[in-house]
Amino acid sequence: MAGHRHATVQDHVALVEIDLTGELMIAAAAASEDRLTPDRIDEVLDVDGEQRDPAGGPA
């Protein structure tokens, strides 16, 4: 039987990703369109859209 862990382990990268996903979900729920535009996603995530590569993916 495995012992109970008392130490708290936090993955800070995962917590940031969860927070950003939540922000996108809130924005999508509030949007009148079916999908968020790439510009709106950049705005929600607070990133500069010019960092995108021309194919539409991350740089």
Side-chain angles (χ1 to χ4, degrees):
M1 178 190 215
H4 185 272
R5 290 186 172 185
H6 295 284
T8 301
V9 177
Q10 292 185 357
D11 182 337
H12 296 286
V13 172
L15 293 174
V16 169
E17 289 178 357
I18 291 167
D19 186 50
L20 293 174
T21 301
E23 293 294 326
L24 286 172
M25 292 172 67
I26 291 167
S32 59
E33 308 88 25
D34 289 338
R35 297 176 184 231
L36 296 176
T37 65
D39 288 338
R40 179 64 180 133
I41 292 170
D42 288 345
E43 181 182 338
V44 170
L45 298 180
D46 194 27
V47 296
D48 184 6
E50 293 180 14
Q51 294 176 354
R52 252 187 215 295
D53 82 12

